[in-house]
Amino acid sequence: MLDPHRLRQFVTVAKYLNITHAAAELDLTQQAVSSTIKTMERDLGVALLKRIGRRIALTDAGRILRDGAQPLLDGSSALVRAVQDAERERDEQLLIARTVTMAVDEVIELVEPVRREVPLASIAVRQLADPELISALRKGQADMALRRDVTIPDGFTGSIIGYSTLRVAVSTQHPLAVERTIKLRELAGTDLILSIRPGDSYYSNFLIAACHRQGFEPSVLVDRVQGMPSTTAAVSTTGFAFVTDEPGLYHHDEATVVEIEDAPRVPLQAIWMQHRRSRLRQILLANATRKM
């Protein structure tokens, strides 16, 4: 039987491939972490780590254990939370982590049916940078995450629950800010501002592909300010950002959101942990998919 505490230590070592760094994250001594790994190797009868010069690496057995460990740890954490929730007899609550690329109005539309059907439900929404969404689910800080993606990570369940119309945000000083509707190719030669660099994000790749379909290759800038609404990227710049917010002025009239002719529609995905049940989440998902 694999002890969850030991397994968590091994996963942390496998992440860093450095005992010192793993021990610091776990708030344990290096000796304690090393002892745990040796105990696991003895109990399993296999080597999990090997030395290559001054570095450590995973053995084949170590890689198999690492790949299978996270779903086990996630499931264990989810089960503990479910048991504790039942014991405390807490009021129903829904914790939602949402991508910064999602407009506030989209969130309101999604949670409204839950508020209507379960008036006493507690709903909390956290806006997070995309890389933090999975972590929030694993740590029990969210019951579901809403993001711009189509892939589902191991150990999670998910589905596409809607599609959002893309628009562009530009500075109010931009020549196109006075237009009600623009053609996307009119932005050729203008920097496209992304929150995550191309290749690291489905959404970033989707936006670049939208430009390609209009016949131009955008020059790309990655916004150095993370965790802010997408509309802020256009403030005090000559570039543009794709957003799903309604047309109009934002941020003390420093940014303008403009409609795109024949606008692309981008998917909105909901994901959650396989072992975590939530009646409120099911209400939200059922109502969202009915509107697709």
Side-chain angles (χ1 to χ4, degrees), residues 55-104:
R55 299 183 297 107
I56 61 173
L58 295 173
T59 63
D60 290 343
R63 283 192 291 273
I64 292 172
L65 182 59
R66 177 200 61 192
D67 294 344
Q70 195 62 60
L72 289 175
L73 292 172
D74 291 344
S76 175
S77 298
L79 179 59
V80 169
R81 289 193 299 274
V83 171
Q84 291 173 338
D85 289 351
E87 177 64 24
R88 293 167 185 161
E89 297 182 348
R90 299 191 305 183
D91 293 335
E92 286 189 282
Q93 65 174 357
L94 180 62
L95 307 177
I96 301 173
R98 72 173 179 95
T99 174
V100 297
T101 62
M102 190 178 178
V104 172

Side-chain angles (χ1 to χ4, degrees), residues 146-165:
L146 302 172
R147 64 180 195 160
R148 305 293 184 188
D149 210 322
V150 294
T151 60
I152 300 175
D154 292 339
F156 292 83
T157 300
S159 63
I160 301 300
I161 62 171
Y163 291 85
S164 307
T165 300

Side-chain angles (χ1 to χ4, degrees), residues 12-255:
T12 307
V13 171
K15 178 172 72 172
Y16 290 110
L17 292 177
N18 185 296
I19 298 294
T20 302
H21 293 168
E25 178 171 313
L26 294 163
D27 198 23
L28 295 170
T29 65
Q30 295 180 45
Q31 182 179 1
V33 175
S34 296
S35 177
T36 292
I37 300 300
K38 290 177 182 176
T39 299
M40 293 180 69
E41 290 179 325
R42 184 189 66 233
D43 292 346
L44 292 169
V46 296
L48 300 174
L49 300 176
K50 60 184 177 182
R51 287 211 165 268
I52 302 177
R54 300 178 64 180
R55 299 183 297 107
I56 61 173
L58 295 173
T59 63
D60 290 343
R63 283 192 291 273
I64 292 172
L65 182 59
R66 177 200 61 192
D67 294 344
Q70 195 62 60
L72 289 175
L73 292 172
D74 291 344
S76 175
S77 298
L79 179 59
V80 169
R81 289 193 299 274
V83 171
Q84 291 173 338
D85 289 351
E87 177 64 24
R88 293 167 185 161
E89 297 182 348
R90 299 191 305 183
D91 293 335
E92 286 189 282
Q93 65 174 357
L94 180 62
L95 307 177
I96 301 173
R98 72 173 179 95
T99 174
V100 297
T101 62
M102 190 178 178
V104 172
D105 287 344
E106 294 179 278
V107 182
I108 294 172
E109 185 177 354
L110 283 174
V111 302
E112 185 56 36
V114 182
R115 297 175 61 186
R116 196 165 52 242
E117 292 188 37
V118 190
L120 297 181
S122 173
I123 303 173
V125 181
R126 299 178 61 202
Q127 177 177 283
L128 298 175
D130 282 18
E132 299 173 335
L133 295 173
I134 300 299
S135 177
L137 289 172
R138 284 187 168 142
K139 293 178 180 178
Q141 297 169 345
D143 298 306
M144 66 183 299
L146 302 172
R147 64 180 195 160
R148 305 293 184 188
D149 210 322
V150 294
T151 60
I152 300 175
D154 292 339
F156 292 83
T157 300
S159 63
I160 301 300
I161 62 171
Y163 291 85
S164 307
T165 300
L166 285 176
R167 302 178 180 90
V168 293
V170 295
S171 165
T172 51
Q173 304 304 314
H174 194 285
L176 295 176
V178 297
E179 303 294 336
R180 294 188 62 180
T181 304
I182 65 170
K183 293 180 174 64
L184 187 54
R185 59 178 173 271
E186 293 182 76
L187 291 163
T190 305
D191 291 328
L192 166 59
I193 306 170
L194 299 174
S195 58
I196 302 178
R197 65 185 180 182
D200 291 346
S201 161
Y202 164 84
Y203 186 50
S204 294
N205 294 341
F206 181 96
L207 299 180
I208 291 175
C211 296
H212 290 169
R213 286 192 292 272
Q214 292 300 312
F216 70 97
E217 179 70 45
S219 57
V220 172
L221 290 178
V222 177
D223 194 351
R224 293 184 178 274
V225 181
Q226 296 293 304
M228 298 289 283
S230 299
T231 47
T232 64
V235 174
S236 301
T237 72
T238 58
F240 72 99
F242 282 104
V243 300
T244 58
D245 301 81
E246 292 295 320
L249 295 169
Y250 290 81
H251 315 304
H252 301 292
D253 298 348
E254 292 189 37

